[in-house]
Every structure is written in structure tokens, then in C-alpha cells.
Amino acid sequence: MILVGEIRHGQMLNRLNNLPNKYLFYFGLIFVFIFISLSYWQFTSYLEERELSAQISYPQEPTEVLISQINISNEFSLITTQGKLQFVKSWLLRSRVNNGVSGYHVITIFKNDMNEHILINRGWVPLSAYVDNYNLDTEMSFTGMLYTYDEIPRFGQEDIPGSEYIFRIDKIFLQNETEVILPNYYLQLSQNCGSEITCIDTLDQYQAPHLGYAFQWIFFAICLAVVVLRKNKLI
């Protein structure tokens, strides 16, 4: 049995070495695996977006909470803040789009009388906006949904200390900039966002056609595999 297996293995190696388009076979195989990987990545992205959409729901009435209670709340909870809030600092979050128009999101840290801090994404503003236009103390409550902070990518633009512009809602960076402690979640407003600020509707935001891309990449992989095999007379 071992001898038969060695003979078959040797025959397979000889066949691969004598392929009419050997380099096309090996390079083509590499690209086939790349296309399959891209298809898998798009499909998992589709499943993640689908799961996220299923988790996000808008109750009829938000729950009134104190800043101290945010840490024991759940992500995607619809809440209304309580008490007077004092302005701490604002930034403009880069590369945000609303109805096809480029702009920023206004990101602000407030604190209450107990010196407890909350970070709020107040909504979209156009590129002509200035961050100083959105500094205010307020006695009004804020209503919106709780979200986890952005993860820092391995590759990408770094946030610059002291700048009025940021590339992501990075909890550690914003805490270091202000020397405060933020809750486990930030609040994204869904109503009463303020003058000249457009509220963000998470459910209406653009969703990439990940499932279509997944089928596209797997189709490319199948086509390339057929071409490579036919050129080498393996099918």
C-alpha cells in the first residue's frame, strides 16, 4: 500500500511538472484563493451588518437615565439624559456623508454637576462648519442611542493631539485629550440635535452590497479556476 501511494504521489508530481502552462497554473491558483478570501470577507461583513440591523430597534419611549447609569445599560439602548449638562469640548469627525453631501459629525463631551462626563455625537454638519459654533451649556435633555466606541484600525490616519478634527470616536484618545473618564458607550442623538445640525438615522445610512460583492468574487474565482484548469488540460 505504501509503495502504491508513493507511485501515485510521484505520478502527480510529474504531471504538475509537465503542465503546458505551469506558471499560469500556480499564479492562477494563488489568485483563486485570493478571490475566495475576498468573497468570504464580504459575506462575513454582510452577516455582521444583518446582525447589527437586527439588534438595533427603536422602542416607543426612551428610558431616562443618569450618566452614572450608562455603564450598566446595553448597547443600542434608546435613552434620554437627565439634568443640566455643561460643555467641555467639541471636535469635528471627518469624512461623514449625509444624502451624498460630505461633511462632519459634531462630537461633544459634556459633564453634569457631579463631574460625570458623557460623549455625544450630535449629528451631521456641512464642510463649512466651525467647531466653535457648537459650544454650549444646556439644561435640555438629549435623546439618542448608545454605541460602542470605534476600534483603532491597524492602518489608517492617526488622530492628532490638539486638533479640532478627528478621524474616529476613539475613547482612549479623547480621554487623554480632556483628562476625563468617559462611560462605556457614547450617545448618538436621534432627535432635537440642535440648530443647523442634521440628526443621524442609523437605519437609513448607506449599507454596502456585501452579499453582491461576495457572489461577485466567488464568480471570479470559479471563472479563473476553469480557465487555469482548461489551459493545463486538467479538465
Side-chain angles (χ1 to χ4, degrees):
M1 294 294 292
I2 297 177
L3 181 59
V4 173
E6 290 178 350
I7 292 174
R8 289 179 177 175
H9 181 67
Q11 291 175 341
M12 178 64 69
L13 290 177
N14 288 332
R15 189 176 183 185
L16 291 176
N17 289 328
N18 295 321
L19 290 173
N21 294 281
K22 181 169 59 176
Y23 295 110
L24 172 63
F25 176 81
Y26 289 117
F27 279 107
L29 199 62
I30 291 173
F31 279 98
V32 166
F33 282 117
I34 291 175
F35 291 163
I36 291 175
S37 299
L38 289 170
S39 176
Y40 175 77
W41 169 55
Q42 291 291 343
F43 185 69
T44 53
S45 297
Y46 162 74
L47 293 179
E48 289 173 359
E49 280 197 356
R50 186 176 178 183
E51 182 180 358
L52 178 62
S53 297
Q55 292 179 22
I56 296 176
S57 61
Y58 291 96
Q60 291 185 352
E61 294 294 335
T63 302
E64 292 190 358
V65 300
L66 300 171
I67 293 179
S68 60
Q69 296 174 309
I70 291 179
N71 283 340
I72 59 174
S73 301
N74 297 318
E75 187 179 11
F76 309 126
S77 297
L78 186 65
I79 69 165
T80 296
T81 60
Q82 294 181 346
K84 179 180 179 180
L85 294 176
Q86 181 180 347
F87 170 83
V88 176
K89 185 174 177 59
S90 281
W91 297 266
L92 295 177
L93 180 62
R94 291 179 180 269
S95 303
R96 305 297 119 171
V97 177
N98 179 59
N99 293 327
V101 180
S102 296
Y104 308 105
H105 285 180
V106 180
I107 308 299
T108 303
I109 292 180
F110 292 97
K111 67 178 181 180
N112 61 13
D113 294 336
M114 303 293 293
N115 205 36
E116 297 168 329
H117 294 79
I118 181 174
L119 187 144
I120 299 179
N121 184 344
R122 295 159 61 189
W124 182 90
V125 294
L127 291 175
S128 58
Y130 293 96
V131 67
D132 291 339
N133 295 342
Y134 307 102
N135 303 343
L136 79 163
D137 297 337
T138 179
E139 295 187 10
M140 66 174 289
S141 59
F142 290 114
T143 297
M145 188 167 285
L146 296 177
Y147 288 89
T148 56
Y149 298 87
D150 296 336
E151 296 182 358
I152 302 176
R154 294 182 180 178
F155 304 99
Q157 182 68 47
E158 294 287 339
D159 289 317
I160 302 173
S163 174
E164 297 176 346
Y165 301 91
I166 55 177
F167 291 93
R168 64 193 61 86
I169 305 178
D170 178 358
K171 179 181 179 181
I172 296 176
F173 174 82
L174 298 176
Q175 287 183 149
N176 291 338
E177 283 292 279
T178 53
E179 299 182 346
V180 303
I181 297 176
L182 296 172
N184 293 339
Y185 306 105
Y186 72 88
L187 180 65
Q188 180 172 294
L189 299 189
S190 58
Q191 55 184 273
N192 301 326
C193 297
S195 176
E196 300 180 354
I197 301 178
T198 302
C199 292
I200 306 165
D201 189 341
T202 302
L203 296 180
D204 285 343
Q205 293 187 70
Y206 170 77
Q207 294 184 352
H210 293 296
L211 187 59
Y213 290 151
F215 284 119
Q216 172 183 292
W217 285 117
I218 200 67
F219 175 75
F220 290 161
I222 293 172
C223 290
L224 181 57
V226 170
V227 170
V228 170
L229 294 176
R230 287 180 66 88
K231 286 290 185 179
N232 287 281
K233 300 180 180 180
L234 295 177
I235 59 172

